[in-house]
Amino acid sequence: MEIEELKKELKKYLKEERYEHSVCVMEMSEKLAEKYNVSKTKVMKAALMHDMAKEMPIEKLKKYILDNKIKVSETEMLLGITLHGKVAADICRKKYGFDYIMCKAISNHTTGKPDMTMFEKIVFISDKIDETRKYDGVQELRELAFKDIDSAIVKNIEYTTKNNLEKGRIILEQSIKTRNYILINRKN
Ligand SMILES: [Fe+2]
Ligand SMILES: [Fe+2]
């Protein structure tokens, strides 16, 4: 399915604001794909559809996970925050023919994961720095993403983690794993 058709589909799932976020994530992913020499169309489609299940009620997401035998950890099931990515990936594979790489990027877009491909990194960071994002330091992070995408991912996770700690929220261990993996494996 072409991008324009996917946009029409996405509109059925999302309210205006989240639809706008999705389109902006897609636009960011296009620029990053150019910068890092990843072929554009698939990244853009994955970026566009990453949040397509975000407005499903949590009980519906859980039911979908169980009915479709999607693998998720106990913590994920308990917290629910990452489930929309897992469900979106499954729907995109079955309904829109997305391939393994696209689905993996969608599936892990909330926390990232260790050893991400450039494709996955682009989808992950585009979601955090798209033009609808307004948090302190987002402009610096946008610039950093084009110079050193790994550092941008680490900084984003650190920012989110700090924020969650201050608010007494749960920290997703997968984000910490993503950050540690980059720190351990970086060459400089
Ligand atoms: Fe999301
Ligand atoms: Fe998102």
Side-chain angles (χ1 to χ4, degrees), residues 14-65:
L14 299 181
K15 297 195 184 96
E16 187 56 33
E17 205 176 315
R18 185 159 282 116
Y19 174 79
E20 226 168 85
H21 158 68
S22 305
V23 172
C24 287
V25 174
M26 180 186 78
E27 288 168 355
M28 185 57 74
S29 77
E30 181 178 19
K31 292 182 203 157
L32 284 166
E34 253 164 46
K35 162 74 193 174
Y36 291 107
N37 285 319
V38 173
S39 93
K40 283 197 308 200
T41 316
K42 282 185 182 184
V43 181
M44 288 170 70
K45 286 180 181 176
L48 178 68
M49 301 303 276
H50 78 284
D51 269 345
M52 61 100 64
K54 181 102 182 198
E55 286 169 16
M56 266 193 203
I58 191 76
E59 287 316 314
K60 214 175 156 193
L61 286 171
K62 286 185 180 172
K63 187 175 181 318
Y64 188 100
I65 298 272

Side-chain angles (χ1 to χ4, degrees), residues 61-78 82-90 93-94 100 103-104 106-108 113 174:
L61 286 171
K62 286 185 180 172
K63 187 175 181 318
Y64 188 100
I65 298 272
L66 295 173
D67 289 349
N68 291 277
K69 301 186 172 56
I70 299 170
K71 267 192 226 149
V72 298
S73 71
E74 244 175 84
T75 330
E76 284 189 295
M77 205 58 166
L78 219 61
T82 58
L83 300 183
H84 72 281
K86 316 281 158 193
V87 170
D90 195 70
R93 181 171 64 84
K94 290 173 179 161
Y100 178 71
C103 293
K104 229 167 69 169
I106 293 175
S107 181
N108 296 304
K113 66 167 188 56
Q174 189 71 356

Side-chain angles (χ1 to χ4, degrees), residues 124-147:
F124 175 86
I125 201 69
S126 297
D127 177 36
K128 316 299 181 286
I129 59 168
D130 78 279
E131 291 300 328
T132 64
R133 300 279 190 188
K134 297 282 186 273
Y135 57 86
D136 271 353
V138 67
Q139 190 47 39
E140 287 81 353
L141 204 58
R142 275 183 200 124
E143 284 161 27
L144 185 59
F146 284 85
K147 289 186 204 123

